[in-house]
Amino acid sequence: MEGIANWIQGLFDGSLAAGGIFLVIGIVGAILLLVSVLLDGIFDLFDFGDGPLSLTTIAAFTAIFGFTAFATVGAGGDTALAAVIGAVVGLLGGVLAWWLSRAIRRAESTTAVTSTELVGSEAAVVLPIPAGGLGEVALVRHGERVSLSATADAAIPRGARVRIAQVLTSTSVRVEPVAAGPAAGDPRPADAD
């Protein structure tokens, strides 16, 4: 408890001024980390991909380095010791941030529905598709219901089973009717209307 009181006293009497640069580094790193996580893609020009030199990893290292070094100076350590301890702890934090960001990206990519996966899939029409117009189809992929805008050459009523013939955009497809029978991936029971 006395160590914390001495550290707080050092903040107010100016003896921690030598560690002030570490505090600034930590704050800048924390701001960059917050921005890179919340506004993913805003700094793509400065990002080196998903590897260990990604902006998220560098920002995590910088924030942890700065705050750890500042705390070390506040606990009575000299500047060189603070830099070494900050670098070691920052490196560990950067590796953890890199591992977590890779795990999150892998989880996101395994649930994404690709256009090659959709072509040939069967779906149910949930909003009637007029000839040459737009309606809506639904199917289940990776345990989740996926709804897509759909167009067809001929009118297709609600509840009909269709096969996806072409992916037009990330949210729209061209479909063709299929013979009656249960559709693979149909999110509704066969007798539901």
Side-chain angles (χ1 to χ4, degrees):
M1 187 69 168
E2 186 176 311
I4 293 174
N6 290 339
W7 187 81
I8 292 172
Q9 180 61 34
L11 286 174
F12 292 112
D13 70 11
S15 64
L16 292 181
I21 189 70
F22 293 127
L23 180 61
V24 170
I25 290 170
I27 291 170
V28 168
I31 290 170
L32 280 175
L33 182 61
L34 186 64
V35 168
S36 73
V37 169
L38 293 179
L39 303 175
D40 188 31
I42 194 167
F43 291 121
D44 281 348
L45 180 64
F46 304 106
D47 207 348
F48 298 107
D50 292 336
L53 294 178
S54 70
L55 181 62
T56 303
T57 305
I58 293 170
F61 167 81
T62 305
I64 295 168
F65 165 78
F67 291 133
T68 302
F70 178 70
T72 303
V73 169
D78 67 352
T79 307
L81 177 65
V84 169
I85 291 173
V88 169
V89 175
L91 184 62
L92 293 173
V95 168
L96 180 63
W98 174 53
W99 180 80
L100 285 172
S101 65
R102 285 185 57 209
I104 290 169
R105 284 195 173 94
R106 272 195 310 264
E108 289 173 348
S109 67
T110 59
T111 60
V113 177
T114 63
S115 59
T116 56
E117 181 182 350
L118 286 175
V119 173
S121 298
E122 291 187 16
V125 177
V126 292
L127 288 176
I129 304 170
L134 283 178
E136 184 176 324
V137 297
L139 64 154
V140 176
R141 283 288 179 253
H142 304 293
E144 294 184 29
R145 182 175 191 260
V146 177
S147 295
L148 301 164
S149 297
T151 187
D153 295 333
I156 303 174
R158 179 176 180 263
R161 288 164 181 24
V162 293
R163 180 172 289 111
I164 297 174
Q166 180 183 8
V167 175
L168 303 173
T169 68
S170 62
T171 59
S172 64
V173 293
R174 187 176 60 76
V175 296
E176 302 169 338
V178 295
D186 187 348
R188 302 178 327 132
D191 62 343
D193 280 329

